[in-house]
Amino acid sequence: MERIKIKYLIIGLLWFSFTVQTAAGQETFFQFDDLDVEELSLDSMTGGDRLIYISDRWKFMSGDNPEWSKPDFEDSDWNVISTNLTVADLSFVDWEGIGWFRKKLKVSRELAGKPLALVIDRHLGASEIYLNGEKVYELGRFSTNPNRVEPHSGNEMPVIVFPDTTVQTLAVRFINPNEVESTQIFGNSGFRFLLADWKSHQEEVLSFISRWTGISMFYAGVLLTFAVIHLLLFIFYPREKRNLYFSLFAGCLLLITYLIYRLELASYTIATISLLKFALFFEIIVLVFAVRLMYSINEKQKTIYANLVLIVGLISAIFIYFYSTDLIWLRELIILIFVAELLRTLYLMYRSRKEGAWIIGAGMLFFVLGLITSILINFQFLNGDVRIINMAGSGLLILSMSIFLSRDFAVTRRNLQQKLTEVQDLSERALEQERIGKEREIETRLLEAENRRKTAELEEARALQLSMLPKKMPSINGYDLAVYMDTATEVGGDYYDYSTEQDGTIVLALGDATGHGLKAGIMVAAAKSYFHTLVHEVDLCTMLKRISSGLRNLNMHLMYMGFILAKCQGSKVEITIAGMPPALYYSKKSNSVEQILLKGLPLGGNVNYPYQTKELQMEQGDVLMLMSDGLMELFNQDRDILGVEKIEQVLLNSVEYSAADIIQQINHLAETWSGGKDPEDDITLMVLKIPEN
C-alpha cells in the first residue's frame, strides 16, 4: 500500500512538492485487454500483506442514478477512465462533482467466499460502495449536498466477500467537494482501491503501526529531553539566549516529528492536507530558529540583521501555511536562503576560528550524509529504512548542537584552567594529526593498488563479455543486417545476439540489463545461454517467460533485463518486447516511421507476465531498427534527453542507405547531440533492412 512519505528531511527541510510528485509517479498500473471482466486469483497476490492489484481503469458516468449500482445495468456506452481523476482524466468527461464508477470482477474458486481486505490506497472524497447492487460500505459521510459531505479519513479496514466465482459487479458512487484543493495538492482528486488477504493485510498494518510508533516515540522523547534541558538552562541563566533558541529549535522538530508520524499512518486522503500545511509551516519555523541559533553563536552577527531574518521567516511561514499551493516557489526560495545562511554562518565561524565550531560542522556533515543516503535508498541504489537514516542524521545534528552549547557554556567557566594545558593539547593534536596523515598516506597507496587490481579484473570481465557477443551479423540472402554497441563502463549491461535456422529463418535478440558492472555482465551471460538453449524449441513469448524465470533464479537483488526478440522468416517478422524502448519500423510504401511499442515487464520479475507479439509484413526497402534506452536517454550539455522523435527523423532521412550506413547516421546524431562526451548508459543499435532488387 502506498503512503505519503517525507523522504528527504526530518528536521524541517520537508520537500513535499517532490514527495507528492514522486508518489504520483510511482503508481503501478496494469493494463488489461478486456476491461469488461477482470479475473483475480491467488496468483495475483504479492507482498507481505498479499496485495492484489486491480486496474484503476473503470467505467465511469458523471451524475447520479441509483440504478447504476445494479449488476445487470447496461454500461457499454460509459467512458473508461482512471479512478484517480487526474486533470488529464477529467478533460475527457463532463465531471459534475459526483459520478459513478463500475468494474466487473471474477474471482477464482480459492478466493470465492473468502474475506478480502478492501485496501484504500487513496480516497480524496466520500463514496458508497456497492457489490452486485447491494451497498456494502460507506467511506466518509456521503451526501448529494456537497456542504454535508465528510471526506473519508482513512481509519477503516473494510472487508469484502465475493460470494461465488461468477462475474461480480463492484460500483462506487463518488463525490469530492474539495476537488480543486486536492488536485492542487496531490495532482488528482479521485480514489484507488486494491484487494488483499484480510488477515495478512491486518497483521502487516498493525506491525507497521507498532514499529513506527515505537521509533517515533523514542525520537520524540529525545527531542523533548533536549528541549526541556536547554529551556531550563535559559530560565536559570536568561542572558544565555542560545539555549532559548535551541529549545525552540528542538521543540519545532518535535512538532515536525509528530506530523511525520501522523503522515506515515495516514492514508492518501483529504485529512492529510491539514497535516501537510502544518508541516510546510513548521519546516520554515524550524529553519528560522536554526538560523537564529547560529547567529547567537556567532557573536559578530549584527542584532538588527538577525531580528530582520527572524521576522521575514515568521511572516513567510504564515503566508505559506495559508497559500501553500500558490507559494511553492516562495517556500523553496526561503528554504534555499535559510540553508545557505546556515552554511554561510558556519563558514564564518570556521573562518573566525570559533572554538568548537567543528562540533556543529560534524553534526551537519552527518546530517548531509543522511540526506544523501536517503536519496540513494529512495532511488534503490542502497538498501535501508529512510526514516531511520533521517532520524539518525538529524539526531546527530541536534546532539552536536547540544554538545556545542554545553561545551561552550562549560568552557567559559573553565577558561583559566584550560589556558594552562592549551599548549600541551595543541602539541598532542599536531602529533596525532601527523600520525593520522601518515596512516592515511599508507591507506591511500593501498587503495590505489587495490583500484589498479580491480580495474584489471574489470577489463578482463569486459573482454570476456565482448567475446560472447557476435563479432558481426550474418550475411543472409534477402536481409541487410548491421549492429553497433558502445558500452558506458568497463562491463556493460547491453546484449545483442542472433540465431539462424536451416530454412533461412533468423531470430534477433537485443537486451538491456539493469545498471552496469559485474552484475550486469552476469545477467548478459545468463541471457545468452538461455537464448541459445531455447531459440529452436519454443515460441517468442514462451522464450521470454523461461528466460525471465532463469534470471529470477539468479537471486540478484533488483536486477532485471529488458529484452526484444524479432523472428524473421522471409518477409514476415514477429516481434515481442519486454520492458524496452519501441522498435522503429519504416514502411517504404507509406514513407513513414511507426513506433512498435508492446507493453511488458522486464525479465527477472513476474515470470507469468502475458507478453504480446506483433507481426510485420516487410517489403523491399522497409527498415526495422531495434535499440536500447541508452540512445533515447542521451543527454546534451543542457541535460536535455535526445528522445525518439529526432531518431525517427534521421531514420526517415537515411532509408536509402544500407543498414551499416543507417547506423552511422544515427551515431552521427548521437555524437552531435552529446557534444562528443562518453555516454552515461550503454548504447546498442540493430538495423534490419529488406534490400531492393
Side-chain angles (χ1 to χ4, degrees):
M1 183 199 309
E2 294 189 30
R3 300 181 181 277
I4 299 176
K5 304 293 184 184
I6 309 303
K7 292 188 174 180
Y8 293 147
L9 301 177
I10 201 168
I11 69 161
L13 303 173
L14 307 174
W15 302 103
F16 280 102
S17 59
F18 177 84
T19 304
V20 172
Q21 293 169 9
T22 302
Q26 289 179 339
E27 297 292 337
T28 303
F29 298 106
F30 290 82
Q31 301 293 332
F32 295 87
D33 293 332
D34 184 3
L35 287 174
D36 289 330
V37 179
E38 189 168 333
E39 297 186 1
L40 309 177
S41 65
L42 285 176
D43 294 336
S44 305
M45 292 184 172
T46 61
D49 47 359
R50 304 186 70 192
L51 279 175
I52 300 177
Y53 289 90
I54 59 176
S55 171
D56 67 328
R57 309 288 293 178
W58 291 41
K59 291 190 174 182
F60 169 80
M61 177 62 69
S62 181
D64 189 34
N65 185 347
E67 295 294 321
W68 295 346
S69 68
K70 296 182 178 180
D72 56 354
F73 180 80
E74 177 56 43
D75 58 7
S76 59
D77 59 341
W78 285 25
N79 292 313
V80 177
I81 66 172
S82 170
T83 57
N84 291 300
L85 291 182
T86 64
V87 176
D89 296 320
L90 295 178
S91 64
F92 292 100
V93 297
D94 297 326
W95 174 249
E96 300 174 357
I98 186 172
W100 283 76
F101 293 84
R102 288 170 57 91
K103 176 177 280 290
K104 293 182 179 180
L105 302 170
K106 185 177 181 181
V107 301
S108 64
R109 182 178 60 184
E110 295 84 0
L111 297 180
K114 180 179 180 180
L116 298 176
L118 184 64
V119 181
I120 305 167
D121 192 52
R122 67 180 55 181
H123 198 288
L124 299 173
S127 65
E128 293 179 340
I129 303 174
Y130 294 82
L131 179 61
N132 298 327
E134 296 292 332
K135 179 180 175 181
V136 292
Y137 285 107
E138 181 174 352
L139 299 178
R141 189 176 75 176
F142 188 93
S143 174
T144 55
N145 182 357
N147 296 325
R148 300 182 62 187
V149 172
E150 293 184 3
H152 167 61
S153 63
N155 296 322
E156 298 89 342
M157 294 180 63
V159 179
I160 190 168
V161 178
F162 295 102
D164 50 48
T165 60
T166 62
V167 176
Q168 313 287 314
T169 300
L170 194 63
V172 178
R173 185 188 187 194
F174 181 77
I175 185 171
N176 183 6
N178 305 99
E179 171 198 345
V180 175
E181 186 176 16
S182 62
T183 300
Q184 289 177 334
I185 294 291
F186 299 116
N188 54 75
S189 58
F191 65 91
R192 187 183 180 201
F193 293 154
L194 308 173
L195 295 174
D197 178 78
W198 188 85
K199 182 178 180 181
S200 299
H201 176 67
Q202 184 184 44
E203 292 175 351
E204 187 78 10
V205 170
L206 294 177
S207 175
F208 169 77
I209 293 175
S210 177
R211 293 195 310 272
W212 181 233
T213 300
I215 294 172
S216 299
M217 292 305 100
F218 171 78
Y219 187 68
V222 173
L223 292 176
L224 180 61
T225 301
F226 280 116
V228 171
I229 290 175
H230 285 271
L231 179 61
L232 292 175
L233 290 174
F234 169 74
I235 292 174
F236 294 135
Y237 188 56
R239 293 187 59 183
E240 189 61 80
K241 294 184 178 180
R242 292 180 294 183
N243 287 311
L244 173 62
Y245 296 130
F246 180 80
S247 179
L248 293 173
F249 173 60
C252 290
L253 281 178
L254 178 62
L255 292 175
I256 290 178
T257 300
Y258 170 74
L259 293 173
I260 293 175
Y261 171 74
R262 290 288 305 278
L263 282 169
E264 288 287 351
L265 297 184
S267 298
Y268 209 153
T269 65
I270 292 293
T272 58
I273 291 180
S274 61
L275 297 176
L276 285 171
K277 286 186 174 181
F278 277 113
L280 294 174
F281 174 81
F282 280 108
E283 73 169 337
I284 301 299
I285 297 300
V286 77
L287 285 175
V288 168
F289 288 123
V291 172
R292 194 63 183 85
L293 172 62
M294 294 295 289
Y295 284 168
S296 65
I297 294 174
N298 184 20
E299 294 88 352
K300 296 182 179 181
Q301 185 67 56
K302 294 182 179 180
T303 305
I304 296 177
Y305 179 74
N307 292 335
L308 178 62
V309 171
L310 178 63
I311 294 173
V312 171
L314 292 175
I315 294 175
S316 300
I318 294 173
F319 273 98
I320 289 171
Y321 175 80
F322 288 104
Y323 306 101
S324 55
T325 57
D326 299 323
L327 296 179
I328 292 178
W329 62 271
L330 177 61
R331 179 176 65 86
E332 302 293 346
L333 179 61
I334 292 296
I335 289 175
L336 180 62
I337 291 175
F338 280 10
V339 171
E341 193 65 15
L342 283 171
L343 296 177
R344 186 187 73 87
T345 307
L346 181 61
Y347 168 74
L348 292 177
M349 292 170 60
Y350 273 108
R351 185 178 177 183
S352 62
R353 299 182 181 276
K354 177 69 176 178
E355 187 176 1
W358 64 270
I359 298 176
I360 298 180
M364 286 194 172
L365 175 62
F366 283 118
F367 175 66
V368 172
L369 290 176
L371 291 182
I372 296 174
T373 305
S374 299
I375 294 173
L376 294 176
I377 292 174
N378 286 323
F379 286 97
Q380 297 184 346
F381 292 106
L382 295 176
N383 296 323
D385 192 320
V386 173
R387 298 181 295 266
I388 301 299
I389 297 298
N390 284 333
M391 286 183 177
S394 59
L396 289 173
L397 176 60
I398 289 287
L399 179 62
S400 68
M401 288 183 172
S402 179
I403 292 174
F404 174 83
L405 293 177
S406 302
R407 178 183 181 277
D408 193 61
F409 185 78
V411 165
T412 58
R413 295 179 179 273
R414 298 195 310 265
N415 191 45
L416 292 177
Q417 292 83 351
Q418 289 182 347
K419 288 294 183 180
L420 298 175
T421 58
E422 184 175 353
V423 175
Q424 182 180 355
D425 290 342
L426 289 175
S427 300
E428 292 177 355
R429 289 181 185 179
L431 292 174
E432 180 67 14
Q433 291 295 329
E434 183 178 357
R435 182 185 64 80
I436 293 175
K438 291 294 184 180
E439 291 179 352
R440 288 179 177 175
E441 182 180 356
I442 296 174
E443 291 175 355
T444 301
R445 293 180 179 178
L446 292 175
L447 183 60
E448 290 175 352
E450 180 66 14
N451 287 337
R452 288 194 295 269
R453 183 186 66 80
K454 290 183 177 180
T455 300
E457 291 179 354
L458 287 174
E459 187 61 31
E460 293 177 359
R462 179 176 181 272
L464 176 61
Q465 180 201 357
L466 294 178
S467 69
M468 294 189 296
L469 301 177
K471 297 298 184 294
K472 62 179 181 179
M473 300 305 288
S475 178
I476 301 178
N477 292 334
Y479 298 111
D480 181 10
L481 282 169
V483 69
Y484 169 81
M485 172 182 282
D486 184 8
T487 57
T489 59
E490 291 88 348
V491 182
D494 280 9
Y495 161 72
Y496 70 88
D497 212 336
Y498 70 88
S499 178
T500 58
E501 299 183 5
Q502 293 182 353
D503 61 355
T505 300
I506 182 172
V507 179
L508 305 177
L510 193 150
D512 185 3
T514 304
H516 316 282
L518 291 177
K519 287 187 177 181
I522 294 173
M523 294 282 284
V524 168
K528 176 181 180 68
S529 175
Y530 287 122
F531 170 74
H532 284 283
T533 301
L534 300 172
V535 67
H536 301 298
E537 300 180 4
V538 296
D539 58 84
L540 299 185
C541 290
T542 303
M543 191 188 310
L544 285 182
K545 292 181 180 179
R546 293 190 181 179
I547 295 176
S548 180
S549 177
L551 296 180
R552 183 174 181 178
N553 290 335
L554 294 176
N555 292 324
M556 300 179 70
H557 186 56
L558 297 178
M559 293 293 293
Y560 305 97
M561 189 169 191
F563 225 79
I564 301 179
L565 293 174
K567 185 174 184 179
C568 310
Q569 191 172 18
S571 62
K572 183 179 73 173
V573 177
E574 183 183 10
I575 299 177
T576 182
I577 301 177
M580 290 286 282
L584 300 183
Y585 169 58
Y586 166 76
S587 171
K588 184 173 182 179
K589 183 177 181 180
S590 63
N591 193 31
S592 62
V593 176
E594 173 190 356
Q595 293 187 26
I596 302 176
L597 179 61
L598 302 176
K599 294 185 177 180
L601 294 177
L603 306 184
N606 187 350
V607 298
N608 294 317
Y609 188 87
Y611 294 102
Q612 304 172 0
T613 62
K614 182 169 182 177
E615 186 174 300
L616 302 175
Q617 290 293 332
M618 297 184 65
E619 300 178 356
Q620 292 184 2
D622 289 2
V623 178
L624 178 65
M625 188 175 83
L626 312 179
M627 60 184 171
S628 63
D629 59 6
L631 178 62
M632 294 173 51
E633 297 175 357
L634 194 64
F635 290 98
N636 64 5
Q637 294 180 351
D638 298 327
R639 300 302 292 174
D640 297 324
I641 62 173
L642 178 61
V644 71
E645 291 79 10
K646 296 181 180 61
I647 301 174
E648 290 181 358
Q649 188 60 46
V650 172
L651 176 60
L652 189 62
N653 295 335
S654 309
V655 294
E656 299 298 330
Y657 300 152
S658 67
D661 291 338
I662 292 174
I663 288 180
Q664 185 177 2
Q665 294 298 314
I666 299 295
N667 285 339
H668 179 70
L669 167 65
E671 291 178 2
T672 303
W673 180 262
S674 64
K677 292 184 178 180
D678 292 334
E680 298 180 8
D681 195 6
D682 305 333
I683 297 177
T684 304
L685 301 174
M686 186 178 289
V687 174
L688 168 67
K689 181 177 181 180
I690 305 298
E692 300 181 64
N693 294 331

